[in-house]
Amino acid sequence: MSKAHHYHQPNAPNASNPQSDESDSDLELNLQDLDPRTSESGHGRSGSRNSGQAGQGRTERQIPLRKLRVGRSTWMERESHTFGDDEDSSHVEEQLRGPIKENNPSEDSHGSLSVMEDEAPLLNHKTVPTTLIGTSEKRRLGILSPWRLISLMHRGFENSNSQRDTRGRHGGGTSRSFSIGQDPRPKFPPNAVSNAKYTAWSFLPRTLYNEFSFFCNLYFLLVALSQIIPFLRIGYLSTYIDPLAFVLTVTLGKEALDDIGRRRRDSEANKEEYTVLRLQESPQGHSGGAKRTKALRSRSKSKGVSLHSKRTRLDAIEEEEECMRGDHTDSLSNIEVDEVSIKSRDLKVGDILKLGKDQRIPADLVILKSYPTESVATAFDPETSEEHAPVLPGAFLERGEAFPEPDGNGAETKTNKPETIENFNHSRDTEGAGEIFIRTDQLDGETDWKLRLASPLTQSLDLRSFTRIKLVAAKPDRKVNEFFGTVEYSPQRMTASTTSHGSGTQSQNDDKGIQTAPLNIDNTAWANTVLASNATALAVVVYTGAQTRQALSTSASRSKNGLLDFEINNLTKILFALTLTISIVLVALEGFEPRDDEEWYVAMMKFLILFSTIIPISLRVNLDMGKAFYARFIERDQGIPGTVVRTSTIPEELGRIEYLLSDKTGTLTQNEMELRKVHVGTVSYANEAMDEVTSYIRQSFSTASPDVLQASSLFTPSSTYHTSSGGASTTRTRREIGSRVRDLVLALALCHNVTPTTEEADGHNFTTYQASSPDEIAIVRWTESVGLRLMHRDRHSMTLQAVDSSRVVVRVRILDIFPFTSEGKRMGIILQFSHGTESLPTAERSREIWFYQKGADTVMTSIVAANDWLDEETANMAREGLRTLVVGRKKLSSLKYQDFSLRYKQASLSLQHRDSSMARVIKEHLERDLDLLGVTGVEDRLQKDVKPSLELLRNAGIKIWMLTGDKVETARCVAVSAKLVSRTQYIHTITNLHTDLSASAATDALSLLRSKPDSTALLIDGNSLSHLLTYHQEAFISLAVLLPAVIACRCSPTQKAEVATLIRQFTRKRVACIGDGGNDVSMIQAADIGVGIVGKEGRQASLAADFSVTQFHHLTKLLVWHGRNSYKRSAKLAQFVIHRGLIISVCQTVYSISTHFQPHALYRDWLTVGYATVYTMAPVFSLVLDRDVDEALANLYPELYKELTSGATLSYRTFFIWVAVSIYQGSIIQGLSQILVGSVDPPQRMVSVSFTVLVINELIMVACEVVTWHWIMTASLLGTFAMYAGSVPFLGDYFDLGYVWSWGFVWRVVAISAISLVPPYSVKILGRTLRPPSYRKVQGI
């Protein structure tokens, strides 16, 4: 309690005077009497306790705050009489709030605790004139109780500052401010994952645009539209409209099915349910003060007494104070905490999620609170948390006391200190509270776990107090390693009116009792990361849907078209030029003169329409149907189970890949580390030899000792190594080796950031480890496997246990930790060992201080003492693909450590160059002449069959790039172990290249690559890559695409996509990208072929990819077998369809010449449609089943795949060969038919011969091109011929049926067919003999 105040107010009205109750004379106050200090310049804003004391001499003229409350009560009584019941009080407040906002929009509010005292001035002299204040003036100023006055003035100030972030609260591009439980909710994007390419409105426009961007489709559209014009019509309109409509229906239907499949898969992810905490007022949520007010009124009415005239001012004061206390002390007890399950897509900003271990995070979150799982039952129990609810400061305003300070359990501790964030007790004593680890490899590709912390301000609060939390977050950004925000805790419950304004300034928050704490990246968990800790975390949603880091780093999906489609599109342009040339020539031969009342240009248009079959509309139909079959072949292949084709328009692109961009973590590796080898200077241990290490450790920490005291002693590095008695095992050499092994294992068991946790599964408890690096977990697991277990770890101590005896053998105190950084490439720890027995008090045990350090050999070589074996052993391990760590130690005396600690603390307080100063102190005092203990080799387990798969792809002519967000050393080791870089290739490393360096630095870095591009692999980090792409893009990319392998480290998702796009644009080659994480989505979508692996942590990459596989080695079959077959089949199919259309056009040309250049159709109506469909389609389409080699030969000779990248299968050379064959066969068929039949008018006899030969010629040509027969091919050929023969009797309108059944018809058909087929086939046989294709070479044919 503060000191009592002495008021000297002789002229104050008597509270007991009835006249005072009835009149407003007491409200007609002069401001000089109210607050004489407001008239003095320079003191009007004084509200502190000091200023109040300085003016004690003038306090006799001050009027106590209690008097103002009486006036306020009297006025409120009138207003309540006017407006009615309690529910109208909010309306009254709104009326009061307006004048204050208008009159004082920018002045600071008096919200500090000291202002609550009666000596403090209330009104600002700058805003209120020194005149008499009547009732109307009082209404304008809103003179209320101090609590409400401060609240309203603070709102008024906030409103003046709210303009700068009003847009941010409801817009997607600026900062946002919201409160938990705010109603109505701010509007932000929905939290829905979408990999769909189209919407309901964009589907038709985009698909039609894509279709008609191909020349052949546009050409047929114009031909079909020309048939609407009567004088251009040739035959039935449906002959031209129906095929085009069929093509569009098939293509659009396939696109729609693909997109529906994507939406269905997105829906599965969006329906994943999460636990959300709802903080709501109970249905009976009326404050005790409000109840007492109603009770008081009811008692007054029952007695027939007027509430306004008979109630004293003290009654009004009591009622007001009870209401105020009731509103703030009972509000938390009225909050109910409910757990509800909500689908991921329905999450909104401000929702509180309850997350558990291995749960995927669905949106960008800020962590509010976390507890180890074993503590959750009590920590989140509403019944127990109720007694820890912080008490609001309403009850302390009258007494002038400072706010109570919550203790570690949320209870109150009386204090006279003002409560600030510095003296706020941040967290409970529960071990591990506020700390969690998350896995971010699906976001940024980094394998290290990330430590995330709850804000100390929110960690100490109970659940009900979350309703008083307000968060301010920066605008959405794609930077996954940056975040800026603040969290505010208010003693009052946040409302929509308070959260709709700016956060104000820090000083105002302090004055009101609002506690503010900063938020940074350590307090966040981004979408698509995974909670790795065995803990329960409460987090609030800050960004959703398209505004999450994951979505902002992902490029928009695009419609992909294969290179084959563009090549065929170019060929159709050549065919159109040929058609136009023929039409012009035929009209020119007539001298461009009108015939039969037709102008020459009309005749030319008719010729164009007649020759439209040269560009067959069935070409796109056959190719699209073929792609659908290829997709089905892939999905039904039992050799690659689980493979899904998500984009069925580009399977033939799998046969044209020249660059493969791969992620590392989860794609090439399993991200499961295992320590495979250790070296202690003279001896190396690996595989079965690890049993000997176990023997040394068991003997070193053995309980076999002559005295009982020794059996319970604690070991230190200085403890003498002893072995079990007997024999040669006690030789000096063995003791020395055993001592070295013990020292190395002890160092590995202590020098880390690993925390053990206990989990329960199937009724059994087992220990798991949590750390930011999987390497450290692998090392600690290895120390446990050889006999030394990490039993306990907290921020201040560690305990080790002997596995065989289950007793504590080492106990240390953690003095300092120096974590691993990318620049330092090492981590260190200073430990103080306990020595003696467990029974001795801690103070009596002797203490040893040791400094341990481990790191990369590149930096540790200069730190450890001179030796002759380190470089050789690290090189040997590196060649094996192991990640090496050099371990050293140094003993510190107490004086030396104290000197270091003092200097280190001084360096940590420097304002400039703090990091370099701290590093300098560490280097000078610690990192000198460390005792070299040994070297470890950790292996990151590769995915199944990664090595042979990469070798096969490399032999297939595919250049492989590895793009990862991991460290340089890690990427180098994986590249070597996976055989991405061969033993004969030199790895040229470019790191730390930035704009501060001269331009020659980048040129020098690339000079070595120019000298030997075929035998050099490039290793480059993200900063250097960004620099080269920004300032030396052309020079870098022109050189990099020539290298056999490129490894890029520390790449952001945007950089991965940029590299893929740049290779595509620069080389014009096909690029495939494969990954398994959300950070690979942009790269996958930017590639020509995107392949996603169904990862352990999510399916986002799989859903966004064109092809989804379950293992990396499935990619080889997807490319070398299915890709090769798809491309060769599509190329052969396209050539046959073009041949089929070109040959019938040649026949039409010959016929037009024989009819004196008249634009009359040779084959009309059904003959034209039937030839392209039922009479030839099945045999031609059966070529999708053909294959030149079997799968074994394709894998044995990956060079066969390399041939496809040149595009020789479908090139201009092969195209013009097929054009020549078509011209020859068409001329022979039509010319000999007209010659041998002898009559073209009427043409039925000639048409019956030429059309029959045309069909037979096409069927035999298909049979001649088949390499590997399939029963369906045979059935289609025989069935098609039978169908044609069976339909001839129904072709009386086109054929002379009487002539068809004669021998003259038969011999003419046989002769013409032989002349058209034998010469082309003979030339083919001769060419195959002289220059056999590769597939015949490997088959030995």
Side-chain angles (χ1 to χ4, degrees), residues 468-470 486-490 494 503 509 514-516:
R468 300 173 181 177
I469 291 177
K470 173 184 175 182
T486 58
V487 58
E488 298 177 3
Y489 173 72
S490 173
M494 293 290 183
S503 59
N509 293 342
I514 294 179
Q515 301 169 13
T516 303

Side-chain angles (χ1 to χ4, degrees), residues 532-723:
S533 299
N534 184 26
T536 297
L538 300 182
V540 61
V541 178
V542 289
Y543 304 112
T544 53
Q547 294 183 347
T548 62
R549 261 40 175 195
Q550 175 68 50
L552 292 175
S553 299
T554 303
S555 59
S557 59
R558 61 186 181 92
S559 298
K560 297 182 180 181
N561 294 303
L563 182 60
L564 184 69
D565 294 331
F566 292 106
E567 291 173 345
I568 292 177
N569 193 54
N570 292 332
L571 296 181
T572 56
K573 294 177 182 178
I574 297 175
L575 293 176
F576 173 75
L578 179 63
T579 302
L580 182 61
T581 301
I582 295 174
S583 301
I584 294 175
V585 168
L586 292 178
V587 174
L589 292 177
E590 284 294 311
F592 294 101
E593 295 181 358
R595 297 176 61 88
D596 299 334
D597 298 330
E598 288 183 349
E599 296 294 334
W600 65 270
Y601 52 83
V602 175
M604 189 182 70
M605 291 295 297
K606 285 189 174 181
F607 277 124
L608 281 174
I609 296 171
L610 285 174
F611 297 144
S612 63
T613 55
I614 290 181
I615 308 175
I617 195 170
S618 59
L619 177 61
R620 290 302 303 274
V621 177
N622 281 272
L623 289 177
D624 289 343
M625 292 179 61
K627 293 175 181 180
F629 271 83
Y630 307 149
R632 184 167 178 81
F633 294 157
I634 293 173
E635 292 182 337
R636 297 189 63 183
D637 190 340
Q638 298 300 318
I640 47 175
T643 301
V644 179
V645 179
R646 306 200 189 279
T647 305
S648 59
T649 58
I650 53 175
E652 72 281 352
E653 289 296 279
L654 294 169
R656 308 286 295 276
I657 300 302
E658 294 191 49
Y659 292 91
L660 175 65
L661 276 57
S662 173
D663 179 41
K664 180 188 72 68
T665 307
T667 303
L668 297 178
T669 68
Q670 302 180 33
N671 197 24
E672 295 180 3
M673 310 298 175
E674 182 180 2
L675 194 147
R676 301 297 301 272
K677 191 175 185 179
V678 295
H679 196 285
V680 293
T682 56
V683 184
S684 178
Y685 298 96
N687 302 324
E688 292 80 7
M690 290 297 183
D691 295 338
E692 191 172 352
V693 176
T694 304
S695 175
Y696 282 128
I697 297 302
R698 184 181 297 113
Q699 293 177 13
S700 177
F701 297 100
S702 173
T703 59
S705 181
D707 58 341
V708 180
L709 181 63
Q710 180 68 19
S712 61
S713 64
L714 296 174
F715 290 85
T716 70
S718 300
S719 299
T720 303
Y721 176 80
H722 64 88
T723 63

Side-chain angles (χ1 to χ4, degrees), residues 105-310:
S106 61
E107 295 297 326
D108 291 346
S109 63
H110 299 281
S112 65
L113 295 177
S114 57
V115 176
M116 304 304 176
E117 305 189 19
D118 289 350
E119 301 109 300
L122 289 177
L123 303 177
N124 194 314
H125 72 285
K126 296 182 180 180
T127 57
V128 183
T130 57
T131 59
L132 295 178
I133 302 178
T135 305
S136 59
E137 281 293 298
K138 192 187 86 57
R139 292 190 185 186
R140 183 177 68 83
L141 293 174
I143 303 177
L144 307 173
S145 67
W147 176 257
R148 194 170 300 278
L149 176 65
I150 294 169
S151 176
L152 295 181
M153 291 182 70
H154 180 71
R155 292 173 186 170
F157 178 85
E158 288 183 329
N159 186 53
S160 66
N161 294 328
S162 64
Q163 301 301 323
R164 61 177 175 265
D165 68 333
T166 300
R167 296 179 182 177
R169 293 191 307 275
H170 302 291
T174 57
S175 59
R176 61 190 59 189
S177 174
F178 62 91
S179 294
I180 296 177
Q182 178 177 340
D183 191 23
R185 293 287 186 91
K187 294 182 179 179
F188 294 109
N191 191 53
V193 177
S194 178
N195 290 296
K197 293 182 179 179
Y198 311 104
T199 64
W201 302 104
S202 66
F203 176 74
L204 279 178
R206 288 184 61 183
T207 51
L208 290 177
Y209 173 80
N210 291 334
E211 287 303 308
F212 290 116
S213 62
F214 288 98
F215 178 79
C216 57
N217 287 346
L218 181 62
Y219 174 74
F220 282 117
L221 176 64
L222 296 176
V223 170
L225 293 177
S226 69
Q227 296 304 290
I228 300 176
I229 304 174
F231 60 84
L232 293 179
R233 183 174 299 170
I234 300 176
Y236 298 118
L237 182 62
S238 59
T239 304
Y240 300 91
I241 297 294
D242 292 350
L244 179 63
F246 178 73
V247 170
L248 295 179
T249 301
V250 171
T251 305
L252 268 64
K254 187 160 56 63
E255 281 290 313
L257 290 176
D258 289 345
D259 213 49
I260 290 172
R262 294 188 193 96
R263 289 184 176 275
R264 186 180 296 113
R265 292 185 291 270
D266 289 341
S267 178
E268 294 176 2
N270 292 328
K271 288 181 179 179
E272 188 175 356
E273 292 190 347
Y274 291 86
T275 301
V276 174
L277 302 184
R278 290 290 190 225
L279 308 179
Q280 299 175 342
E281 291 189 4
S282 60
Q284 300 83 18
H286 300 287
S287 65
K291 294 178 181 178
R292 285 189 287 273
T293 302
K294 290 186 177 182
L296 180 59
R297 290 180 177 177
S298 63
R299 288 197 303 269
S300 299
K301 291 179 181 179
S302 65
K303 296 179 181 179
V305 180
S306 172
L307 185 64
H308 305 289
S309 61
K310 299 299 181 183

Side-chain angles (χ1 to χ4, degrees), residues 365-370 434 436 438 452-455 458 519 522-525 537-540:
L365 311 177
V366 166
I367 301 167
L368 300 178
K369 197 181 189 78
S370 70
I436 60 171
I438 60 173
R452 290 296 184 258
L453 307 171
S455 172
T458 59
L519 296 174
D522 293 332
N523 308 119
T524 63
L538 300 182
V540 61

